[in-house]
Amino acid sequence: GIQVEQSPPDLILQEGANSTLRCNFSDSVNNLQWFHQNPWGQLINLFYIPSGTKQNGRLSATTVATERYSLLYISSSQTTDSGVYFCAVNFDYGQNFVFGPGTRLSVLP
Amino acid sequence: AAGVIQSPRHLIKEKRETATLKCYPIPRHDTVYWYQQGPGQDPQFLISFYEKMQSDKGSIPDRFSAQQFSDYHSELNMSSLELGDSALYFCASSLASFEQFFGPGTRLTVL
């Protein structure tokens, strides 16, 4: 069946450290987005990235659609980066997103 | 820039009651989606509408129904509420099948 996997499931970092989050998906995709869910539950769009590489400040993302994975890079992490990071994928045959299980990030001061 | 609006933001209901959640998509977006996120889980797709017609359906219980109105706002109606319906309900909108923008969510608590 359709699968979206994320790794690692949990990550604890010291403030200032860098990290890489991975998303693997089982089928070809139309769209891929990365979200940050903050402690208040809001889903914040980070990147819309069905392919290629994008950067936004300390964050960047790369999607290699042919190899069915995407990476989210966080550099110089801050405590406000804490929360759950979701990868969500829209497969070729449907409109809705299938979310991965998320990576829970804790950044310690 | 305008964002997706959801109301109410918090809702407390008793078992077997009904609830109505509202969503106002970003202007000119033609597709609306509803997702349910249980505690500690990832969001699960419920239903979507394209140009006011139901376009896709996920794991939405028969007790739930939804519609999109002529002004493009959407409502999710939930009847015979159960404890397990307690969750965060997100509405999202997009232009065609491109980037989805999520609202702040409605937190439903069923007692």
Side-chain angles (χ1 to χ4, degrees), chain B residues 53 98 107:
Chain B
M53 299 289 289
F98 297 112
R107 189 173 296 278

Side-chain angles (χ1 to χ4, degrees), chain B residues 68-104:
Chain B
Q68 188 177 26
F69 295 85
S70 57
D71 65 351
Y72 288 88
H73 95 271
S74 179
E75 295 184 2
L76 178 65
N77 299 291
M78 297 176 283
S79 62
S80 303
L81 287 170
E82 302 174 356
L83 296 178
D85 296 329
S86 294
L88 196 50
Y89 290 83
F90 289 104
C91 172
S93 73
S94 71
L95 185 59
S97 296
F98 297 112
E99 185 174 7
Q100 292 189 23
F101 294 85
F102 280 69

Side-chain angles (χ1 to χ4, degrees), chain A residues 30-31 33 35 37 39-43 45 47-48 86 90 93-102 104, chain B residues 9 31 33 35 37 40-43 45 48 50 55-56 88 90 96-104 107:
Chain A
N30 273 335
N31 302 319
Q33 286 183 234
F35 296 90
Q37 188 164 41
W40 295 271
Q42 289 185 306
L43 278 172
N45 280 31
F47 293 103
Y48 167 68
F86 287 106
N90 167 272
Y93 38 82
Q95 285 187 311
N96 59 285
F97 270 144
V98 177
F99 280 76
R104 182 172 297 278
Chain B
R9 295 291 306 278
T31 308
Y33 313 80
Y35 294 83
Q37 185 180 24
Q41 298 179 0
D42 55 278
F45 170 71
S48 63
Y50 171 71
S55 57
D56 205 357
L88 196 50
F90 289 104
S97 296
F98 297 112
E99 185 174 7
Q100 292 189 23
F101 294 85
F102 280 69
R107 189 173 296 278

